[in-house]
Amino acid sequence: RRIDPRNSDVLALFSLLQSDASLDTIYEAFKKQDALSLQLILFLMSAHPEHIYGATSIKEMLERLGKSILSQWILLLIYSKTATKATDESNPYTLFAQNRVSLMLHLLQLASPHPSYELIESARLIALYSLLEEQINLPMSEIVRILNPHQTIEDAMLAHVGILGRVFTATLKIEANETITASLLLKPYGVKIEQLEELATTPSQP
């Protein structure tokens, strides 16, 4: 069966696994494919929910899952349409996933010029989790109940508290073209509305 050339990123990931690359290297590959990370979350929700519970990053999920099962899943993706859809940059949802993660990480950088690794990874996970509403057609409160995330992530997603909660809400507001509201949310962290207006026209990559 012919493998779609748009699966090249997934093939590269499978090659890394076959060469026994470190989890750090494998995770770096996932970070470049936000829609594929979302596919991983959906897979774990249905097949291995125990690897999601309480996780604070995609990397932690990969560590729990292990390379063997991850290799099997990637191989299945290669020979299915799922991988093509997940990595096809012309797919509107793929672009939307990439943009949401990029925007949230950029806003975090504005609000906290030197964020910790844990804060960055939690922000990435919140952005990915927030995309599940449309994917599985459930309200966020139910998704959070199913995922049973770390308390910091749950508080940010449901109560919108703390720096992660404000950054997450500001991300949604900017997507809705409510820049003024977003600037008010991030004002306590020294973010100026001009920075958000610039972001709206020339979004930066994380």
Side-chain angles (χ1 to χ4, degrees), residues 21-45:
S22 68
L23 272 173
D24 285 339
T25 301
I26 293 166
Y27 178 50
E28 285 301 316
F30 267 90
K31 284 166 64 176
K32 297 174 183 176
Q33 293 292 336
D34 295 313
L36 187 59
S37 293
L38 191 60
Q39 291 288 331
L40 175 68
I41 292 170
L42 289 167
F43 165 65
L44 292 178
M45 286 179 70

Side-chain angles (χ1 to χ4, degrees), residues 9-30 32 67 70-71 74:
D9 291 314
V10 183
L11 285 168
L13 181 56
F14 184 70
S15 179
L16 286 175
L17 286 161
Q18 291 297 97
S19 64
D20 199 27
S22 68
L23 272 173
D24 285 339
T25 301
I26 293 166
Y27 178 50
E28 285 301 316
F30 267 90
K32 297 174 183 176
K67 293 181 184 178
L70 180 61
S71 295
I74 291 294

Side-chain angles (χ1 to χ4, degrees), residues 59-131:
K59 183 181 178 183
E60 186 177 344
M61 294 179 194
L62 294 172
E63 290 170 344
R64 294 179 182 183
L65 183 63
K67 293 181 184 178
S68 178
I69 298 177
L70 180 61
S71 295
Q72 294 171 27
W73 176 66
I74 291 294
L75 192 58
L76 286 174
L77 284 185
I78 289 172
Y79 290 99
S80 73
K81 294 181 179 179
T82 307
T84 298
K85 292 178 180 178
T87 59
D88 181 5
E89 292 186 355
S90 65
N91 182 331
Y93 200 79
T94 297
L95 292 173
F96 183 60
Q98 292 172 346
N99 289 340
R100 174 164 292 183
V101 174
S102 176
L103 177 58
M104 183 153 180
L105 292 180
H106 187 82
L107 292 181
L108 177 63
Q109 193 72 42
L110 290 177
S112 178
H114 303 288
S116 66
Y117 172 82
E118 291 77 14
L119 202 60
I120 292 171
E121 294 309 304
S122 291
R124 186 187 303 278
L125 202 53
I126 289 168
L128 289 168
Y129 280 172
S130 69
L131 294 164

Side-chain angles (χ1 to χ4, degrees), residues 136-206:
I136 59 179
N137 196 29
L138 285 175
M140 186 55 65
S141 57
E142 182 64 14
I143 290 171
V144 169
R145 186 191 67 78
I146 294 170
L147 294 172
N148 189 25
H150 187 275
Q151 191 63 49
T152 301
I153 292 174
E154 178 178 338
D155 290 343
M157 297 189 73
L158 296 184
H160 304 269
V161 297
I163 186 171
L164 288 173
R166 283 179 174 264
V167 167
F168 173 51
T169 309
T171 299
L172 301 182
K173 294 300 181 182
I174 289 177
E175 287 179 349
N177 294 317
E178 297 179 24
T179 309
I180 294 176
T181 305
S183 70
L184 292 174
L185 286 164
L186 299 180
K187 187 176 180 180
Y189 302 100
V191 179
K192 302 183 185 310
I193 190 170
E194 292 79 12
Q195 293 173 288
L196 303 185
E197 289 172 342
E198 290 172 5
L199 182 60
T201 56
T202 55
S204 300
Q205 296 297 319

